[in-house]
Amino acid sequence: MSQYYSNYMEECYSVLEKLEVWTENNNSMSGEEGINQWVEATKKVKETGKTIYFVGNGASAMMAGHMSADATKNGGLKCLFLSETALLTAVSNDISYHDVFSFPLRRFAVEGDMLIAISSSGNSENIIRAIGAAKEKQMQIVTLTGLNEENRARKSGDINLYVPGKTYGIVEVCHQALLHCWLDKYLDVYEGGRI
């Protein structure tokens, strides 16, 4: 009899144990330190009245939307999910799909805002351009990537979480766990507990 379930869960756990966290200056840190820095950066965003922008494609877009909603409703954070249909399709049609996230960031974001960029491959051009726009605006940048350790987004943010999984399913499961860990810790430390 196959042990598929057990093997799958063990792979998720193993990949999360091997999580690599890097700063923009190529300094590595533990997952605990990475989540702590992310939580502290989030606290600063809230205290200064800034906005957190979430971006992703496909399943990562669904995670981005989900976490934007949770962080707004449960965390009292000011968040925007940059996949609003009318703007996304207008920019895609009239400008370029590569600019669907960078275009609104250039219009709306200000210094001190935060970008959370979720990309399993770390190579999606619209994510790379969003990171570039966030740098221009002097935003805090958090990236969640996986699959290939040479991906373009892996070390492009202030805090970069790289999941060394080899399939989209494993990487996406781990990204969702990391996103919930970040928000739950923020809630536990600064907002009186998880909801």
Side-chain angles (χ1 to χ4, degrees):
M1 180 173 278
S2 171
Q3 294 290 313
Y4 192 88
Y5 169 81
S6 297
N7 292 338
Y8 197 92
M9 293 302 122
E10 284 177 19
E11 186 176 356
C12 288
Y13 180 76
S14 172
V15 166
L16 283 170
E17 276 203 317
K18 295 173 187 169
L19 174 71
E20 295 179 22
V21 184
W22 298 87
T23 66
E24 187 177 32
N25 301 325
N26 277 338
N27 295 320
S28 67
M29 66 183 77
S30 70
E32 194 73 45
E33 292 169 316
I35 293 293
N36 288 343
Q37 281 197 16
W38 189 3
V39 166
E40 290 306 308
T42 304
K43 176 180 180 269
K44 185 175 180 183
V45 166
K46 182 171 184 182
E47 288 175 345
T48 56
K50 303 297 184 184
T51 302
I52 301 175
Y53 294 87
F54 289 82
V55 296
N57 294 299
S60 297
M62 294 302 96
M63 280 184 252
H66 172 189
M67 295 313 297
S68 177
D70 278 5
T72 299
K73 180 177 72 74
N74 300 336
L77 299 163
K78 187 166 64 169
C79 301
L80 287 173
F81 170 48
L82 292 184
S83 288
E84 188 274 317
T85 305
L87 183 60
L88 186 140
T89 56
V91 173
S92 296
N93 187 61
D94 299 339
I95 300 171
S96 164
Y97 187 70
H98 295 317
D99 295 307
V100 294
F101 304 133
S102 58
F103 181 85
L105 284 174
R106 286 191 174 101
R107 288 287 169 98
F108 304 129
V110 298
E111 182 178 345
D113 284 346
M114 178 183 284
L115 173 68
I116 298 176
I118 310 163
S119 175
S120 293
S121 74
N123 288 319
S124 301
E125 186 61 32
N126 57 6
I127 299 293
I128 298 303
R129 290 191 190 190
I131 291 167
K135 286 182 178 184
E136 290 169 16
K137 293 285 190 167
Q138 298 184 322
M139 298 171 68
Q140 288 283 313
I141 302 166
V142 178
T143 70
L144 292 92
T145 67
L147 299 177
N148 179 354
E149 64 184 16
E150 300 303 319
N151 78 66
R152 293 164 62 198
R154 180 177 172 223
K155 293 183 180 178
S156 62
D158 299 290
I159 302 168
N160 304 281
L161 295 92
Y162 170 72
V163 174
K166 300 302 175 197
T167 67
Y168 278 92
I170 295 293
V171 170
E172 289 167 0
V173 165
C174 293
H175 282 173
Q176 189 70 74
L178 291 167
L179 287 158
H180 276 293
C181 180
W182 154 71
L183 184 58
D184 285 348
K185 179 157 190 182
Y186 173 79
L187 292 170
D188 279 348
V189 173
Y190 294 113
E191 300 294 334
R194 287 177 254 179
I195 297 173

